[in-house]
Amino acid sequence: MWKNSGWLAALCLVCLLESVQAAGWLGHLESRVQADNHYGEHDQFIQHWGEFSYEHNDNLQLGIAAAARVGIAGIEGQLQQAWLRKTWPHRKYSLLAGRFEQADLSGFYALDGARLEHQREQWSWRAYAGVRRQIEYFVAQTEKPDEPSHALLGLETEYKHKRLSARLGFEHHATNPSGDLFNLDINRQFDKLHLSTAASLDVHHHQIEHFLIRTQSAMDWAERPVHFTFSYETYQPLNPLLSFRQRFYRLYARGRQSGLSARAQYKTQKDDLWRVEGRKLWRDFGDSGYAVSIDWQSHKPQRWQSRLDCLTLADEKAINWFVALEKPLSSRHLATFSSVIQWKHSQLLKPNWATGASVNLKYKYQRDMFINFFAEYIAQTQMDNQYQLGIQIQYDFYAKRYRP
């Protein structure tokens, strides 16, 4: 089965590539053959991913993104995007319909639906409706998987004038009115200071669900600019049942939690970049604690990167040290070597030491084709060791009239 499935996947790849080129499409294609044990069992698979677009007279665009996988679970397929965009440039309107990616004040997700936009010099608005999804690892998740009819309706407007920008949005959930939200985002740029704030208001409970304020400033030190960033963020989930947005929220925890962070960034005369960041986290339920990170990057004569992270949340503690080197071997070969050391301790796990290394060799076979060889191995004292090995081919193709 493995042998026949591999030849079938390769044949489909060749046919797909020839057909999209002949039709005048633009796009990017990736193919990967990989073996690993990242999910508790040994797995070998072949995976193809493609993103294609077509434009007609600058007023009509089509887009498709799809993935196919052949592995121990059989043959799987996923349609990640399939959209059609119609533009009326004289009236400054555009209509997008299908499955497409969207980023707004409530997050980044895939939407099955439609979006209407109107754009002017300083003011714009957009209205959208559909079913929101999160597509990852061949899984499409909705607000309630057993209720595919769940839908939302949103309206967002933005105003820009010189150094000021403001965005106001509203989302109505058809099957869950308690999840309706007002969102506000304001940015103001001064001479050496940038101020931004964002807030979400739960319409049903008349309470602020999320609030963020961030300031960025710059000052000169030894004739070199130093950038400082200070931010405060608080989040209060008002519904005990997790909504779609809360399940993928990067700081989610039960009850209110707040975080205060400060970061400094400095570039030396040798173009070495240094970052130092500290963070304090408060939680009503769960552990509160601190996090500190130091990051260093150098680009001459080869690219070095090193990062040290220290985290403590009550009885949970972790220290990570990561080092990477990116070095050109020739005009067609690029090598990246990485290593990591981690110490972690928690109530449920004895002190665990993990050491790992990875290698990535990138070869430019043609102007628009690259071949990557990659391998990594992580050894741990209290958990199973992990490995990954494979080869990846990346290809960018152009229609004849667009080929550079």
Side-chain angles (χ1 to χ4, degrees):
M1 175 182 176
W2 239 120
K3 184 176 180 181
N4 294 334
S5 299
W7 280 109
L8 177 61
L11 179 61
C12 293
L13 171 65
V14 174
C15 295
L16 178 63
L17 182 60
E18 293 297 330
S19 62
V20 295
Q21 280 188 303
W25 289 65
L26 316 175
H28 177 80
L29 194 65
E30 293 184 7
S31 297
R32 172 188 294 249
V33 179
Q34 180 175 316
D36 63 48
N37 67 338
H38 280 186
Y39 299 100
E41 60 181 357
H42 300 280
D43 187 14
Q44 305 87 33
F45 62 87
I46 300 174
Q47 180 174 305
H48 302 307
W49 178 83
E51 185 175 23
F52 319 111
S53 62
Y54 178 78
E55 184 172 332
H56 178 70
N57 294 335
D58 298 329
N59 296 330
L60 183 65
Q61 299 90 32
L62 305 173
I64 297 175
R69 175 181 175 129
V70 181
I72 59 176
I75 300 178
E76 302 172 271
Q78 182 185 90
L79 183 63
Q80 298 178 340
Q81 294 188 67
W83 51 265
L84 170 67
R85 186 197 302 271
K86 172 62 178 175
T87 304
W88 295 270
H90 298 293
R91 298 186 178 181
K92 301 185 183 301
Y93 281 97
S94 66
L95 177 64
L96 179 65
R99 173 175 291 181
F100 51 90
E101 293 180 343
Q102 174 161 298
D104 53 38
L105 294 175
S106 65
F108 176 76
Y109 53 90
L111 183 68
D112 289 352
R115 184 176 73 203
L116 179 64
E117 299 183 42
H118 180 62
Q119 180 73 46
R120 292 195 176 272
E121 293 182 0
Q122 297 180 345
W123 176 71
S124 64
W125 62 263
R126 64 178 181 175
Y128 53 90
V131 177
R132 186 162 50 180
R133 301 181 183 274
Q134 172 93 357
I135 299 178
E136 187 176 8
Y137 298 115
F138 292 90
V139 177
Q141 302 180 9
T142 60
E143 177 84 20
K144 294 182 179 180
D146 57 338
E147 295 183 11
S149 60
H150 171 80
L152 63 86
L153 176 66
L155 178 63
E156 188 174 282
T157 181
E158 183 174 8
Y159 174 78
K160 294 181 179 180
H161 178 67
K162 295 182 179 179
R163 297 185 175 186
L164 173 67
S165 67
R167 211 163 31 147
L168 178 65
F170 172 73
E171 276 191 0
H172 169 66
H173 296 254
T175 57
N176 182 22
S178 62
D180 294 352
L181 289 175
F182 268 112
N183 297 298
L184 176 64
D185 187 357
I186 300 176
N187 291 271
R188 180 68 165 92
Q189 179 69 50
F190 300 93
D191 290 338
K192 289 189 176 182
L193 177 67
H194 182 267
L195 177 65
S196 60
T197 181
S200 296
L201 174 65
D202 185 282
V203 179
H204 183 75
H205 297 89
H206 304 286
Q207 297 184 35
I208 294 179
E209 183 193 47
H210 169 247
F211 177 75
L212 167 69
I213 183 169
R214 178 184 293 115
T215 62
Q216 296 174 304
S217 62
M219 62 175 293
D220 295 334
W221 181 51
E223 299 182 354
R224 308 287 293 184
V226 183
H227 298 272
F228 296 95
T229 303
F230 302 93
S231 64
Y232 173 78
E233 185 172 13
T234 182
Y235 177 63
Q236 170 67 60
L238 301 175
N239 193 336
L241 299 178
L242 300 186
S243 68
F244 176 91
R245 189 171 71 95
Q246 292 164 348
R247 289 207 305 271
F248 299 102
Y249 200 83
R250 61 184 179 86
L251 290 177
Y252 176 77
R254 189 169 65 93
R256 176 177 292 277
Q257 67 171 331
S258 303
L260 178 65
S261 65
R263 185 181 69 178
Q265 177 177 299
Y266 177 70
K267 181 178 287 188
T268 67
Q269 294 181 353
K270 296 182 180 180
D271 288 336
D272 290 354
L273 184 63
W274 288 88
R275 292 192 187 97
V276 179
E277 182 175 2
R279 184 182 182 90
K280 168 62 178 174
L281 187 65
W282 296 272
R283 288 176 173 173
D284 290 346
F285 300 92
D287 297 330
S288 302
Y290 301 87
V292 178
S293 63
I294 302 175
D295 189 284
W296 168 75
Q297 296 181 23
S298 177
H299 300 274
K300 297 179 180 180
Q302 55 261 341
R303 182 175 181 179
W304 283 92
Q305 181 181 2
S306 178
R307 182 181 177 93
L308 177 65
D309 295 286
C310 301
L311 172 68
T312 172
L313 294 174
D315 295 332
E316 295 189 12
K317 299 177 177 61
I319 300 176
N320 303 281
W321 184 30
F322 172 81
V323 179
L325 168 64
E326 184 180 277
K327 181 178 178 61
L329 303 180
S330 68
S331 60
R332 289 178 173 265
H333 297 80
L334 178 65
T336 303
F337 307 93
S338 306
S339 62
V340 64
I341 300 176
Q342 182 192 73
W343 176 83
K344 187 175 183 179
H345 178 266
S346 66
Q347 292 181 339
L348 302 178
L349 183 67
K350 296 180 179 180
N352 179 64
W353 281 94
T355 57
S358 69
V359 178
N360 187 299
L361 300 177
K362 190 171 186 177
Y363 172 62
K364 184 179 180 180
Y365 179 72
Q366 293 179 354
R367 176 183 56 184
D368 43 19
M369 178 179 289
F370 296 88
I371 303 175
N372 297 337
F373 302 90
F374 57 91
E376 69 176 42
Y377 187 81
I378 301 176
Q380 304 184 85
T381 58
Q382 300 295 329
M383 302 176 65
D384 295 336
N385 299 336
Q386 297 182 4
Y387 72 89
Q388 184 182 94
L389 179 69
I391 180 174
Q392 181 185 48
I393 301 176
Q394 299 176 327
Y395 183 71
D396 295 306
F397 55 90
Y398 312 89
K400 291 182 179 180
R401 63 181 182 277
Y402 289 112
R403 181 172 293 276

